[in-house]
Amino acid sequence: MKVHSPTAVSAPSGAPQQWHDIDWWRVQRNVRAMQLRIAKACRGGNWRRVNSLQRMLTRSRSARYLAVRRVTENQGKRTAGVDRVLWDTPDAKWKAANGLKRHGYKPRPLRRVFIPKSNGKERPLGIPTMTDRAMQALYLLALAPIAETTGDPNSYGFRIERSTADAMGQLFICLSKKVSAEWVLEADIKGCFDHINHDWLIANVPTDKTILRKWLKAGVIHKGQLQATDAGTPQGGIISPTLANMVLDGLESQLKQHLGVTKAKKLKINVVRYADDFVITGNSKEMLESEIRPWVEQFLAVRGLQLSLEKTRVVHIDEGFDFLGWNFRKYEGKLLIKPSKKNVKAFYRKVKDVISTNKTAKQEDLIQRLNPILRGWAMYHQPVVAKKAFSRMDNSVFHALWRWAKRRHPNKSLEWVRRGYFQPHEGRSWVFATMAMRTDGTKAIAPLYSIASTAIERHRKVSGEYNPFDPSMEEMGEKLRMVRMLKKLKYRKQIVSLFQSQKGLCPLCKQPITKESGWHDHHVIHRSQGGGDTLDNRVLLHPVCHQQLHSRGLTVNKPAPTGAF
């Protein structure tokens, strides 16, 4: 696949002069090469070299460009900090990238906002300014190789190519056999992000201590008042999840070291953690309560943390426990993992809220709002025993929509309402659907997504030893990324075809297209110039590459078909 300019615009020699001049392939290559060297030095225990390479990376132009790109393309790109500044133009991004410097840097206080939790309470977030986010993203580039190299094998939260489904898969391995552990310590850390000991962080996290101390002590502005931050790492910062992970790393490895590998295996000790949620398996209730729990409490106390007395308990696998929205329980010796009752109730409340806040919306608009929510929940529970839960949820959503439709026409008969809002579709009757305009100008039926139609597919978990910064695992990472992207795109057949034909790579920068990077669907010959909407006239590009292509007048050629990937 070639990239060329119809106006003979060539790449500028030397350093780029503006944001759209940046060669993202070279930027990614430079940063990746340095990260691999950091991880190699970390594996070898050469910490002086690690520190030296980290300094080189955080001072490089490539890392600064990548840091600004990350904070201007993620979900929070339109959320400003206390200075109300956003980087929403190429010129602003360019100035920001060249202004990221350690010397004279002083972070601004965080802007406090609250988001609702499923239990009715609110979770506090601290929103940094764009400059502080970019600085955190910059130093995270140098910290991530160490976090991935030293992290516990069965820690799955906020790590590259790891997910809740991987944590679920590991628990299935630990609990499903007849001879598996029968007791589980279900642990909950009390306000993890709010109580982490700053002194421990500064002493133990291998990053620039001065910069880290400034972030931790920046303070929070709430209702116009500046509040000091004496403990914790704020939820909302780009680097915060990695810091919290590093605080809890060692929970698995140090526990097994404390017991001895042979004894831990005999006692059936397994630790599975996702961020600050974790469970520990064992062969007896007494051992988990009298030996394991006190050790865990001591491990956490050193870091300024403690277990929640109300939520931490030891349960038998026949009684079952909830973890990450699933219920794990053995029925007559067989382990079944199902959507938890709490998760099902919370999701139905969310759907009902959408329906009730759109009482006067068009049916087409309501379907467009509901479909991503329904599909997302179904895909989350796709790897577990969820068929009954799916059918019940479909039934509950149907009744909620039937009430929504009847309310709009109190003077019409029920048959009239049924004909107006429900119709047969693909062998099913009473489908909430309407006619909608497609991109090619034709009309087609637009149905509500059927949760019950989601096929159950077992999840292939990532190896606990996988390290994205180990060159020997490069091929494993590529296969994992492709499989998971294709699963994410399963119900978008045209995007899947484009993704496969491009072998998962952006044709402009030759870097992988991932769910984190996102993508734009680009027409090779613009529709305004007579280009069609068919697949042979479309390619997938990174958002920043798409902007670069248009700003510089470049074009891309469609690759020749290569068959299924």
Side-chain angles (χ1 to χ4, degrees):
M1 183 180 293
K2 296 181 180 178
V3 180
H4 63 87
S5 166
T7 54
V9 175
S10 59
S13 59
Q17 302 301 310
Q18 58 176 332
W19 182 254
H20 288 312
D21 286 344
I22 297 172
D23 183 343
W24 290 110
W25 176 82
R26 181 168 297 185
V27 163
Q28 298 268 13
R29 183 198 62 183
N30 292 346
V31 171
R32 173 78 177 167
M34 193 66 73
Q35 287 178 319
L36 293 178
R37 292 170 66 189
I38 292 172
K40 183 179 179 181
C42 179
R43 288 194 298 274
N46 189 345
W47 291 102
R48 287 187 64 181
R49 181 159 178 76
V50 167
N51 294 336
S52 175
L53 291 169
Q54 282 184 308
R55 283 196 299 272
M56 289 173 61
L57 179 58
T58 53
R59 294 174 185 179
S60 70
R61 275 201 300 261
S62 292
R64 294 204 305 269
Y65 296 154
L66 211 54
V68 171
R69 174 177 168 176
R70 172 170 180 176
V71 301
T72 54
E73 289 189 3
N74 63 13
Q75 289 184 339
K77 63 184 178 182
R78 294 186 180 90
T79 305
V82 293
D83 59 358
R84 302 293 175 180
V85 172
L86 293 176
W87 298 338
D88 49 8
T89 66
D91 188 50
K93 296 172 188 178
W94 178 249
K95 289 179 180 178
N98 288 293
L100 286 185
K101 295 179 181 178
R102 182 183 186 277
H103 181 69
Y105 169 67
K106 184 178 180 181
R108 302 284 294 272
L110 305 167
R111 181 166 71 89
R112 173 69 79 209
V113 298
F114 294 88
I115 59 172
K117 296 170 67 174
S118 60
N119 59 7
K121 297 181 180 179
E122 291 184 319
R123 175 180 284 111
L125 292 185
I127 308 299
T129 64
M130 294 296 287
T131 300
D132 295 334
R133 272 178 257 176
M135 284 294 283
Q136 289 187 19
L138 177 63
Y139 280 85
L140 180 57
L141 288 171
L143 184 61
I146 302 169
E148 289 290 345
T149 302
T150 60
D152 283 335
N154 293 303
S155 161
Y156 295 98
F158 303 111
R159 294 183 62 183
I160 300 170
E161 299 300 344
R162 298 188 182 217
S163 65
T164 52
D166 290 310
M168 178 272 296
Q170 180 61 27
L171 268 178
F172 182 83
I173 292 171
C174 298
L175 296 169
S176 60
K177 298 182 180 67
K178 286 186 178 180
V179 295
S180 295
E182 295 185 345
W183 292 92
V184 174
L185 172 62
E186 183 186 0
D188 183 88
I189 299 175
K190 190 175 181 180
C192 178
F193 278 83
D194 298 327
H195 298 105
I196 295 172
N197 185 290
H198 283 181
D199 292 336
W200 190 95
L201 268 175
I202 293 167
N204 290 278
V205 174
T207 190
D208 189 305
K209 310 295 184 186
T210 303
I211 295 292
L212 179 58
R213 183 180 286 106
K214 287 180 178 180
W215 286 333
L216 296 175
K217 303 298 183 184
V220 174
I221 290 182
H222 180 50
K223 294 182 178 179
Q225 299 294 318
L226 177 63
Q227 301 171 357
T229 46
D230 299 320
T233 175
Q235 297 184 65
I238 283 181
I239 205 170
S240 295
T242 301
L243 293 178
N245 253 344
M246 297 189 80
V247 167
L248 296 174
D249 278 334
L251 187 64
E252 178 183 0
S253 55
Q254 290 181 30
L255 175 58
K256 291 186 176 180
Q257 186 179 349
H258 165 73
L259 295 170
V261 176
T262 304
K263 183 181 178 182
K265 190 172 183 179
K266 183 179 179 182
L267 296 175
K268 301 175 183 176
I269 299 296
N270 295 286
V271 182
V272 178
R273 179 167 66 85
Y274 187 90
D276 59 336
D277 293 327
F278 65 92
V279 295
I280 302 177
T281 68
N283 64 356
S284 77
K285 181 178 183 179
E286 294 72 22
M287 180 267 300
L288 287 174
E289 287 183 337
S290 63
E291 187 172 358
I292 302 302
R293 179 167 177 167
W295 183 91
V296 170
E297 289 174 339
Q298 184 180 5
F299 174 89
L300 295 175
V302 174
R303 293 153 174 78
L305 303 172
Q306 61 184 23
L307 293 174
S308 168
L309 297 177
E310 304 81 30
K311 298 179 181 178
T312 300
R313 62 189 187 126
V314 176
V315 297
H316 194 274
I317 191 61
D318 289 347
E319 178 186 347
F321 64 95
D322 290 348
F323 185 60
L324 302 176
W326 292 300
N327 178 261
F328 296 74
R329 183 178 173 185
K330 272 190 174 178
Y331 298 82
E332 298 179 355
K334 184 176 182 179
L335 179 69
L336 296 182
I337 306 171
K338 304 177 181 181
S340 69
K341 291 181 180 179
K342 182 180 176 183
N343 180 273
V344 170
K345 288 180 180 178
F347 176 72
Y348 181 59
R349 280 199 305 270
K350 181 178 180 180
V351 173
K352 278 187 68 177
D353 287 344
V354 173
I355 294 172
S356 63
T357 54
N358 287 276
K359 289 185 176 73
T360 59
K362 292 180 180 179
Q363 184 183 10
E364 180 183 349
D365 294 339
L366 180 59
I367 290 172
Q368 286 181 350
R369 287 186 176 92
L370 286 176
N371 275 355
I373 299 171
L374 299 175
R375 184 182 289 111
W377 187 77
M379 295 301 289
Y380 184 83
H381 293 294
Q382 188 180 33
V384 303
V385 182
K387 271 298 180 184
K388 282 187 179 180
F390 286 176
S391 295
R392 288 171 184 159
M393 184 59 68
D394 263 351
N395 188 52
S396 298
V397 172
F398 165 78
H399 285 293
L401 290 170
W402 177 241
R403 289 191 295 270
W404 175 87
K406 286 195 301 180
R407 180 189 176 278
R408 293 160 69 92
H409 306 282
N411 298 322
K412 297 291 186 179
S413 68
L414 298 183
E415 177 60 22
W416 187 95
V417 174
R418 184 193 68 79
R419 288 198 309 268
Y421 292 95
F422 297 86
Q423 53 188 291
H425 179 64
E426 294 184 349
R428 294 185 298 132
S429 57
W430 285 77
V431 176
F432 190 73
T434 186
M435 298 299 290
M437 190 72 71
R438 298 197 305 195
T439 54
D440 59 3
T442 61
K443 281 192 172 185
I445 189 169
L448 186 77
Y449 180 76
S450 169
I451 296 176
S453 68
T454 307
I456 301 299
E457 292 183 10
R458 297 298 171 230
H459 179 78
R460 293 178 59 185
K461 74 173 287 288
V462 65
S463 167
E465 304 302 321
Y466 173 65
N467 183 348
F469 299 103
D470 186 341
S472 66
M473 299 184 184
E474 192 83 31
E475 185 178 355
M476 182 194 300
E478 288 179 2
K479 288 182 178 178
L480 193 66
R481 188 166 53 247
M482 285 293 294
V483 167
R484 296 192 172 181
M485 270 297 290
L486 288 173
K487 183 178 179 181
K488 176 181 173 65
L489 299 172
K490 182 177 179 181
Y491 295 97
R492 304 178 67 177
K493 295 180 180 179
Q494 291 192 345
I495 301 297
V496 167
S497 297
L498 293 172
F499 184 79
Q500 289 179 316
S501 70
Q502 297 172 204
K503 297 185 178 178
L505 301 178
C506 170
L508 201 62
C509 68
K510 305 296 189 296
Q511 295 300 309
I513 294 172
T514 66
K515 57 184 179 182
E516 288 80 18
S517 71
W519 62 86
H520 282 177
D521 190 349
H522 170 71
H523 290 75
V524 177
I525 301 174
H526 300 175
R527 280 181 288 186
S528 60
Q529 299 172 355
D533 204 36
T534 54
L535 292 179
D536 59 4
N537 189 45
R538 290 156 59 191
V539 292
L540 301 180
L541 300 169
H542 289 132
V544 70
C545 294
H546 196 200
Q547 295 164 5
Q548 187 179 60
L549 182 142
H550 282 289
S551 69
R552 297 181 62 193
L554 303 175
T555 61
V556 290
N557 289 335
K558 184 72 182 175
T562 56
F565 183 81

